Amino acid sequence: MKIVHRILLIALSALLIILSFEPFAFRFLALVAWIPFLISLRGAIFRVAYRLGILHGMLVFGGTLSWTLHIFSTFAIALWFILSLFPALFAGLSSQTTGKWRPLLIATLWTGLEFLRGELFWLHFPWITPGTALPPNFFTPLVGVYGVSFLVLLGASFIIASQRLKQLSGAFLLLSIWLAPHFHFSKSESPTIKVALIQNESMNYDDYRIATTELEEQVDAIVWPEYAIGFDPTKLQGVQAEIAELLGSEAKVFVAGGKSWLDDDGDIYANTAFTFGRERILGTHTKNRLVHFFAEGEKGTEAKSISSPLGQIGTPICFDCDHQDVIRRMTADGAELFLIPSMDAAHWSERQHLQHGQLFRHRAAENSRWLAIASTSGLTQIINPKGETVASIPLMEEGSLVGLVSTNDVTTPFQIGGWIIGPISLAGTS
């Protein structure tokens, strides 16, 4: 195959991938977007395939993550290049695979490297994958997003095989991902817990307090965004009394992002979600997944559920929910409902907000739990256990969202063992 034809296939694959993500969100394209990439690697030696992988990665990450230029300026290009090393390594290694097991080897190799990039590599950046390009689907509560990526690459590899039976099997697999009814583990009862989510980027305690007092209806729980409280509420007198007043006569739980002071001067802190009841603090969660290049304080290691009058709740913080492990561990610890403080700066662009908001949907579907997310400028949303957004506030607008959620205590196959597809694939790759 001539190099120009390989490059055209790389460009076509990158275009399809870009179109499958926000703001375009033609998600069905993700089913076939990796096929031209795999075809471009046919017969290529390692060095050529590796370079094609670099090109593919730069086009894909540059096209989907263009919003990183608003945050890191030209350093974003270096970020795209680092991320491109993973499809490059995949391309180089997959070009050397042969035999009847080649489709399985390709899917394993891609998924293992994707898991390494998203969960273990120092950047731990799980955005822009086949599993997250597609909407939550039949397979999500079975094998999670890494398992879906595995199936997409397996189907694509079958389709480009020479045997007609494999081609038909690949097409059937990809169509099954898209068309099969969503596996739903949630209870059938209608949601009855009323939550209020405040969206405001001021990060000023008084602004959030005023917005809460202006709520026009009684609620059971109130959630403020990440860093809504710029201090440690457990160290100041009178805060509990103010929170009890905010809760009013009906609300039972208040969750807000703030800072836990780890020294007497407040110089050392941890990014913390505080959960209050009427009379006392019910629990805290320290952010496990810190965002690189930002001052985020000390890293947390525990992912526990919190006992509350509403049931067992989980309060992961923002970037915690980009990864599969934090919510999964909280669910394993008994969390039946998630009330989540989050933060996305308005100047990061609508594209960033929409891409980030999609990741929460996959976490809901993997674990079959309701998620209620309060974000600074969006996407503040309520997500049902199918991974569907049932209510949200327009991006970049200040306001409050009141909606219904419910608890759920079932265990999905993903929880039982489906989540290990990523680690197993990485082990198989090595």
Side-chain angles (χ1 to χ4, degrees):
M1 187 185 303
K2 294 181 178 180
I3 190 64
V4 65
H5 295 153
R6 297 185 190 276
I7 292 175
L8 288 174
L9 286 167
I10 289 289
L12 173 60
S13 175
L15 177 62
L16 294 175
I17 293 171
I18 292 168
L19 292 175
S20 68
F21 284 96
E22 288 76 7
F24 312 103
F26 299 126
R27 302 199 180 281
F28 63 92
L29 294 178
L31 294 171
V32 297
W34 274 263
I35 293 176
F37 180 36
L38 295 179
I39 294 175
S40 75
L41 305 177
R42 278 178 168 171
I45 61 175
F46 182 92
R47 182 178 68 254
V48 172
Y50 186 87
R51 292 172 178 173
L52 289 171
I54 288 285
L55 175 61
H56 186 264
M58 289 297 291
L59 291 175
V60 168
F61 294 121
T64 55
L65 303 177
S66 58
W67 52 266
T68 55
L69 290 168
H70 297 288
I71 306 174
F72 303 117
S73 187
T74 54
F75 179 71
I77 299 174
L79 173 64
W80 304 340
F81 179 78
I82 293 171
L83 295 175
S84 297
L85 295 176
F86 290 89
L89 184 57
F90 163 79
L93 294 175
S94 66
S95 67
Q96 308 306 303
T97 59
T98 58
K100 64 180 181 179
W101 297 106
R102 187 170 188 268
L104 183 61
L105 293 173
I106 286 176
T108 300
L109 181 61
W110 176 275
T111 307
L113 292 172
E114 181 182 296
F115 180 80
L116 176 63
R117 166 169 70 92
E119 306 291 336
L120 302 179
F121 185 59
W122 70 276
L123 279 177
H124 51 75
F125 193 79
W127 299 41
I128 317 303
T129 69
T132 57
L134 292 164
N137 56 73
F138 173 84
F139 294 98
T140 307
L142 301 178
V143 295
V145 293
Y146 292 109
V148 173
S149 288
F150 180 93
L151 295 174
V152 169
L153 266 294
L154 182 63
S157 299
F158 275 139
I159 284 177
I160 67 171
S162 56
Q163 298 93 340
R164 180 61 59 87
L165 180 60
K166 286 185 177 181
Q167 293 172 348
L168 292 175
S169 298
F172 176 78
L173 177 56
L174 294 180
L175 285 174
S176 296
I177 295 173
W178 186 259
L179 298 176
H182 192 315
F183 220 70
H184 188 29
F185 291 86
S186 179
K187 294 179 180 178
S188 59
E189 295 92 356
S190 299
T192 57
I193 299 171
K194 187 176 291 188
V195 297
L197 311 173
I198 307 300
Q199 180 168 296
N200 187 306
E201 194 165 337
S202 70
M203 297 186 184
N204 181 287
Y205 176 82
D206 287 333
D207 289 343
Y208 293 109
R209 180 182 56 80
I210 292 171
T212 302
T213 60
E214 291 177 348
L215 292 172
E216 297 180 352
E217 51 188 311
Q218 294 289 342
V219 297
D220 300 300
I222 300 165
V223 187
W224 290 1
E226 184 180 9
Y227 291 122
I229 303 176
F231 53 85
D232 188 336
T234 66
K235 301 290 178 65
L236 299 180
Q237 294 183 349
V239 173
Q240 179 65 60
E242 288 190 17
I243 291 173
E245 184 178 349
L246 284 174
L247 289 172
S249 60
E250 297 293 332
K252 304 175 181 66
V253 172
F254 170 76
V255 177
K259 295 181 177 181
S260 293
W261 296 336
L262 304 181
D263 65 342
D264 294 336
D265 298 325
D267 295 327
I268 304 175
Y269 72 93
N271 186 343
T272 303
F274 297 91
T275 302
F276 287 87
R278 290 180 179 280
E279 299 177 353
R280 62 182 178 86
I281 187 167
L282 301 175
T284 62
H285 166 72
T286 301
K287 192 173 185 179
N288 284 198
R289 295 287 192 166
L290 306 184
V291 181
H292 285 292
F293 315 117
F294 287 85
E296 287 256 83
E298 299 297 310
K299 179 181 178 179
T301 57
E302 293 189 337
K304 301 291 187 180
S305 65
I306 297 171
S307 297
S308 83
L310 303 178
Q312 294 292 122
I313 63 173
T315 61
I317 303 170
C318 194
F319 204 54
D320 281 342
C321 305
D322 293 16
H323 306 78
Q324 72 169 20
D325 65 318
V326 179
I327 287 185
R328 178 183 62 79
R329 288 158 56 205
M330 287 183 172
T331 303
D333 192 54
E336 303 165 313
L337 167 67
F338 288 89
L339 305 177
I340 302 170
S342 186
M343 192 282 287
D344 288 285
H347 73 274
W348 292 353
S349 84
E350 289 191 3
R351 173 179 285 196
Q352 185 275 341
H353 287 55
L354 292 171
Q355 288 180 1
H356 193 202
Q358 178 71 4
L359 296 177
F360 293 92
R361 295 182 59 200
H362 291 284
R363 302 289 88 86
E366 286 172 340
N367 299 281
S368 192
R369 295 295 188 269
W370 285 88
L371 270 59
I373 303 103
S375 186
T376 49
S377 58
L379 188 62
T380 295
Q381 58 182 326
I382 295 174
I383 306 171
N384 68 19
K386 294 182 180 181
E388 300 167 338
T389 298
V390 297
S392 63
I393 299 179
L395 295 175
M396 317 304 175
E397 294 185 10
E398 294 182 4
S400 59
L401 172 64
V402 176
L404 294 175
V405 298
S406 183
T407 56
N408 190 20
D409 61 0
V410 300
T411 301
T412 64
F414 167 81
Q415 274 283 325
I416 295 172
W419 64 273
I420 67 172
I421 287 181
I424 288 178
S425 296
L426 179 58
T429 297
S430 60

